[in-house]
């Protein structure tokens, strides 16, 4: 697998750009749309935690196991949320997509499908990944449905796996998509983005 380096990816309504401290105010505004940090099963930072959230993401990038993006509106440049490649394992050509969240007003829109199409295309067709994974809280049913709509396979559940912000310990639901499955999933994602709407 090629090195996972900062890159800008763009299509349709969005651009994914390398996350930077300059994005802190925009991320704060996006998280405020829906008070997303109050959801116990997400990693969305509270207002006063946002700078630390970005700094931690950039430390992960410097260490080579994470590549964080700000998700921007293509027309206005407004920050809509964030997403990342993470748990990057070049030796086995594996990468995961996560730390994904969006302002409430763009949830269940073309934003997430477009972002995943961009990230998956880059992972499989440019980086040479053989498998892309996802993980989510067992109580985050909306995230599980979104991952399943992408065409990923549910691999199983890691019990008592990670600490939540409220101090409880979550079970983690794991998903993956293999390189051989990508062409069919890509066709389906493109269809989802172009099909006529009622």
């Amino acid at each position: 697998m090629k090195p996972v380096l900062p890159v800008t990816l763009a299509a349709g309504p969005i651009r994914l750009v390398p996350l930077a401290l300059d994005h802190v105010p925009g991320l704060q505004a996006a998280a405020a749309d829906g008070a997303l940090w109050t959801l116990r099963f997400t990693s969305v930072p509270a207002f006063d935690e946002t700078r630390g959230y970005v700094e931690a993401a950039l430390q992960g990038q410097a260490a080579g196991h994470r590549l964080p993006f700000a998700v921007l509106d293509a027309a206005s440049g407004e920050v809509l949320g964030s997403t990342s490649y993470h748990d990057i394992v070049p030796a086995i050509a594996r990468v995961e997509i996560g730390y994904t969240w969006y302002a409430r007003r763009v949830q269940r829109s073309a934003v997430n499908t477009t972002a995943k199409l961009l990230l998956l295309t880059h992972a499989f067709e440019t980086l040479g990944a053989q498998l892309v994974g996802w993980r989510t809280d067992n109580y985050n049913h909306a995230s599980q449905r979104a991952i399943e709509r992408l065409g990923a396979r549910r691999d199983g559940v890691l019990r008592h796996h990670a600490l939540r912000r409220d101090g409880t310990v979550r079970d983690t639901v794991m998903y993956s998509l293999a390189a051989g499955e990508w062409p069919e999933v890509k066709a389906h994602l493109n269809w989802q983005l172009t099909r006529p709407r009622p």
Side-chain angles (χ1 to χ4, degrees):
M1 189 168 81
K2 294 179 181 176
V4 183
L5 301 173
V7 64
T8 294
L9 305 171
I14 62 166
R15 288 189 304 128
L16 305 183
V17 302
L19 187 66
L21 288 171
D22 291 348
H23 295 121
V24 168
L27 291 171
Q28 289 170 327
D33 181 4
L36 302 177
W37 61 87
T38 62
L39 301 173
R40 67 187 291 258
F41 46 72
T42 71
S43 62
V44 181
F47 188 88
D48 60 350
E49 299 170 345
T50 308
R51 184 179 180 89
Y53 176 88
V54 173
E55 289 172 342
L58 295 176
Q59 288 169 2
Q61 179 178 322
H65 58 77
R66 185 169 173 187
L67 180 60
F69 296 90
V71 181
L72 307 183
D73 181 279
S76 69
E78 180 185 6
V79 177
L80 303 176
S82 185
T83 191
S84 292
Y85 288 130
H86 67 95
D87 284 73
I88 300 164
V89 189
I92 58 171
R94 178 188 170 100
V95 64
E96 294 188 32
I97 296 172
Y99 298 95
T100 301
W101 58 272
Y102 306 106
R104 176 174 287 171
R105 65 184 171 75
V106 297
Q107 293 175 11
R108 301 187 63 77
S109 71
V111 169
N112 185 54
T113 303
T114 304
K116 293 305 186 293
L117 180 60
L118 287 167
L119 291 168
L120 288 165
T121 300
H122 186 67
F124 286 122
E125 298 180 16
T126 301
L127 300 176
Q130 292 302 300
L131 188 127
V132 175
W134 292 264
R135 59 182 73 187
T136 190
D137 190 293
N138 61 304
Y139 283 114
N140 194 342
H141 302 294
S143 177
Q144 291 173 47
R145 287 191 300 271
I147 294 168
E148 289 166 4
R149 277 195 304 272
L150 295 171
R153 294 191 182 185
R154 183 178 168 128
D155 296 324
V157 179
L158 301 177
R159 298 181 64 199
H160 199 77
H161 180 246
L163 199 62
R164 294 188 186 101
R165 68 172 72 235
D166 66 1
T168 60
V169 180
R170 79 178 199 183
D171 292 349
T172 298
V173 185
M174 303 293 293
Y175 291 87
S176 66
L177 179 69
E181 299 161 341
W182 168 235
E184 178 64 19
V185 168
K186 181 180 181 181
H188 183 66
L189 293 178
N190 278 308
W191 175 80
Q192 284 183 314
L193 289 169
T194 58
R195 68 188 168 99
R197 304 290 173 181

